[in-house]
Amino acid sequence: MSNKKKVVCKVRLKDGVLDPQGVTIRHALEQLGFTDVVDVRSGKVFELTFREGVNGDLRAKTEEICRKVLANPVIEEFEVKEE
Amino acid sequence: MRFGVVTFPGSNCDYDALMVVRDQLHHDAEFVWHKNSDLSAVDCVILPGGFSYGDYLRTGAIARYSPVMKSVIRFANEGGLVIGICNGFQVLLESGLLPGAMLRNRKLRFVCKQVYLRCETSDSPFSNQIRVGDVLKIPIAHTDGNYYWNEDGVGDHEDNKQVIFRYCDARGSITDESNPNGSINNIAGICNKTRNVFGMMPHPERASEELLGSADGLRVFQSIVAFAKAGVAV
C-alpha cells in the first residue's frame, strides 16, 4: 500500500460574489423541471498528492498553496480536507 | 523611449503591440521572453493580450509566477510604467499590482466587438492625450472581463480617480446596455494609486490606424510617449 498522502482542496467564489456560471446552471435546471433548486454556486476541486514520507503540517502547506496559487483571495475561498 | 513587450507562452497580441510603438510611433521596442528577467533597458513594460498558459486555473494566474513577473513587479514598485492589455490586465490583477479580480462575463460568452469607452481622467501617463469625456472606439475580445472589486475597493478607485476608462454608448453615456461584460461601475480600465501601472480590457493596439476600423487606441500609446518625453516622475 502506498503511503502517499492525498489532500483535497475545494475552491469556490465567496458569498456575495456573482457567479455567472452558477446562475446559468440554475436557469438550465429550471428549464429541465428541477424547480426546487433556488441557487447554484460553482467551484473547483483540486486533489494534491504528496510524496511518501513528506514532513510537516500538510494542512498548513496546502493552505499556503491555496492562498498563493489555487484560489484568488479577492473573490474565492477554499476548504482543505486531508484524506 | 524603449518599450519592452513581454511574451508569455500563449500571448498573441505581442506583435501587434510591438508594431504600434515601433512602426507607428517610431520608438524602440523589444520582446522580453517570460523566462528573462532583465528590464534594465526598458522605459515602459507592455503585458500584451492573449491566453497565457492556456488560461489554466484562472486567467493570468500562472503567468503571474513566471520569472519575468518578479522583475515587472520590482520595476513597477520603483515607479516604472506598466500597461497590461486584456490578458495583461488579468496578469496585473493576479500579481496584485492592480486591485480587484476578473469574473467570467455575465453572459458567459466570449465577446469580440467594437465598444465605446469614455475617458474619465487625463491625469495619468496613459491618458494625458485624451480629454475627459472623449469617447474612444476600441475593440474587446475576452471571456473573463467582468471586473469585480468589493464596494470599499471600488469606492477607493472612484475617490482616487483611478478609473481611466468606462464602457459607454456612442454618445458617451454610461449605461447598462453598453456594459459588455458586467464590470462593476462599467469599469474598462484602471490604474494603481501611484498611477504608473494601468490595465484595460479593450485592445488599443487593435485600434491603432484607420485601416483597422479605428485609430483611437493610438492615443493611449501617444500618452505614454508624451509622459516619458516630459520626463515627469509618477
Side-chain angles (χ1 to χ4, degrees), chain B:
Chain B
M1 69 182 291
R2 191 169 188 85
F3 288 86
V5 181
V6 175
T7 302
F8 298 106
S11 295
N12 63 14
C13 300
D14 41 351
Y15 276 87
D16 310 53
L18 187 99
M19 285 178 71
V20 171
V21 292
R22 188 189 61 191
D23 301 347
Q24 285 181 260
L25 298 181
H26 310 293
H27 286 272
D28 295 331
E30 61 182 279
F31 289 121
V32 182
W33 184 235
H34 68 111
K35 285 188 175 163
N36 290 352
S37 49
D38 184 12
L39 296 172
S40 56
V42 168
D43 303 307
C44 175
V45 171
I46 302 178
L47 300 180
F51 300 86
S52 58
Y53 298 89
D55 278 352
Y56 291 170
L57 189 60
R58 294 178 306 278
T59 55
I62 310 289
R64 178 250 177 282
Y65 286 101
S66 62
V68 73
M69 280 311 294
K70 268 194 195 135
S71 304
V72 171
I73 290 168
R74 199 180 318 119
F75 182 82
N77 288 337
E78 289 168 357
L81 297 180
V82 180
I83 172 172
I85 299 164
C86 196
N87 187 231
F89 185 10
Q90 294 162 337
V91 175
L92 289 174
L93 293 171
E94 281 287 336
S95 66
L97 284 174
L98 288 174
M102 284 301 171
L103 297 171
R104 185 76 22 114
N105 293 347
R106 66 179 156 186
K107 287 182 182 158
L108 295 180
R109 280 196 288 265
F110 177 82
V111 183
C112 182
K113 64 174 184 182
Q114 295 278 5
V115 297
Y116 294 98
L117 309 176
R118 190 173 80 185
C119 178
E120 300 291 296
T121 173
S122 305
D123 178 22
S124 84
F126 312 94
S127 59
N128 57 63
Q129 299 299 303
I130 311 167
R131 285 183 305 265
V132 172
D134 277 4
V135 175
L136 310 187
K137 188 167 92 171
I138 295 183
I140 53 166
H142 61 248
T143 308
D144 298 85
N146 182 350
Y147 180 74
Y148 171 82
W149 191 210
N150 61 35
E151 229 168 80
D152 290 349
V154 170
D156 279 351
H157 285 355
E158 302 289 358
D159 293 347
N160 301 329
K161 303 240 174 273
Q162 284 172 250
V163 178
I164 294 183
F165 294 124
R166 267 186 240 278
Y167 299 109
C168 65
D169 64 19
R171 290 190 309 204
S173 302
I174 310 293
T175 60
D176 192 49
E177 294 74 48
S178 58
N179 184 342
N181 50 34
S183 290
I184 193 156
N185 292 8
N186 281 45
I187 289 172
I190 53 159
C191 66
N192 63 349
K193 256 188 196 155
T194 47
R195 313 189 86 75
N196 62 312
V197 179
F198 169 61
M200 65 187 290
M201 284 315 287
H203 286 270
E205 80 285 6
R206 294 190 192 176
S208 56
E209 50 187 315
E210 289 303 337
L211 188 64
L212 298 173
S214 168
D216 292 349
L218 203 54
R219 295 167 73 185
V220 172
F221 299 100
Q222 286 165 335
S223 295
I224 298 172
V225 170
F227 180 85
K229 248 188 207 154
V232 187
V234 180

